[in-house]
Every structure is written in structure tokens, then in C-alpha cells.
Amino acid sequence: QVQLVESGGGLVQAGDSLRLSCAASGRTFSSYAMGWFRQAPGKEREFVVVISRNGGSTVYTDSVKGRFTISRDNPKNTVYLQMNSLKPEDTAVYYCAASMTTYISTRHVSYDWWGQGTQVTVSS
């Protein structure tokens, strides 16, 4: 069992930055690929980015490439999402998720545990 707690969301203006954090419980954090997903009102949950167990591989959705950066600190059981140059279309609830698969996946069905989400609102 893994518990994930996101933090760092908030209300910002377009062009601003935010850093989301996701703290995981348990002693096997380095065994999980970690992903960030987001869900805007009235829309389906969408993949944002994933990082491999050791942090050596990442995959980003096209809309955030060059603006968002994922990183992880395995000794601290934490994954981060640095979001720069935020746009109104980035407004959503952001969820972190942990996957036990041996490969990194962009599909939400590959993830075994989810956080409760943190709201990010970007005003124009």
C-alpha cells in the first residue's frame, strides 16, 4: 500500500511558476515509476509526465514540453513537478500516481495508487 499526498497547487497568473510536490509513504518508493496526471472541469483525466524508478527516463505530453520538469528524490520519497510559463489551459486538478510496472507508462490504467489531487488555477 502506498499513500500519496500532493501539495503546492494554487492560483497564479499566466506566465507564473508553481512547483508541485508529491510525498509517498512506504519504504519502496524507488520501486515505482511516478506520474503526474491532470483533470480539468468537464474533461477526462489526462497524462502529463512520468519519471522512471531511478529518474533516468521521462516522458512528457507535448503540451508541457519545455515548460514542465519532473524530478524525484528517492531518499525523501518525493516527486516534484516544476511548472513554468503557466497558461490558463493548464488549469486543472493535478494528481500524482505510482506504478509498479517495469516500464514507464502514459496510461492511467497502469498506475496502482493515486493521490487526492491539488488544484492549479492559472488566470489570464
Side-chain angles (χ1 to χ4, degrees), residues 7-53:
S7 61
L11 171 63
V12 298
Q13 293 186 332
D16 286 349
S17 298
L18 278 175
R19 189 175 83 154
L20 305 184
S21 299
C22 174
S25 65
R27 298 175 294 175
T28 58
F29 179 71
S30 60
S31 299
Y32 309 116
M34 297 297 298
W36 287 95
F37 291 75
R38 64 187 180 185
Q39 188 166 18
K43 295 187 177 181
E44 293 186 352
R45 190 170 300 190
E46 67 169 347
F47 166 79
V48 177
V49 60
V50 59
I51 189 167
S52 61
R53 300 173 178 182

Side-chain angles (χ1 to χ4, degrees), residues 53-101:
R53 300 173 178 182
N54 65 2
S57 297
T58 58
V59 176
Y60 292 85
T61 194
D62 286 345
S63 62
V64 308
K65 285 180 181 177
R67 299 189 299 121
F68 291 11
T69 303
I70 190 171
S71 61
R72 66 189 297 163
D73 187 335
N74 284 347
K76 293 185 177 180
N77 283 12
T78 303
V79 63
Y80 304 98
L81 182 62
Q82 178 67 42
M83 305 186 295
N84 298 329
S85 302
L86 282 161
K87 303 176 181 180
E89 51 263 45
D90 295 318
T91 295
V93 177
Y94 283 71
Y95 300 89
C96 72
S99 172
M100 294 181 65
T101 59

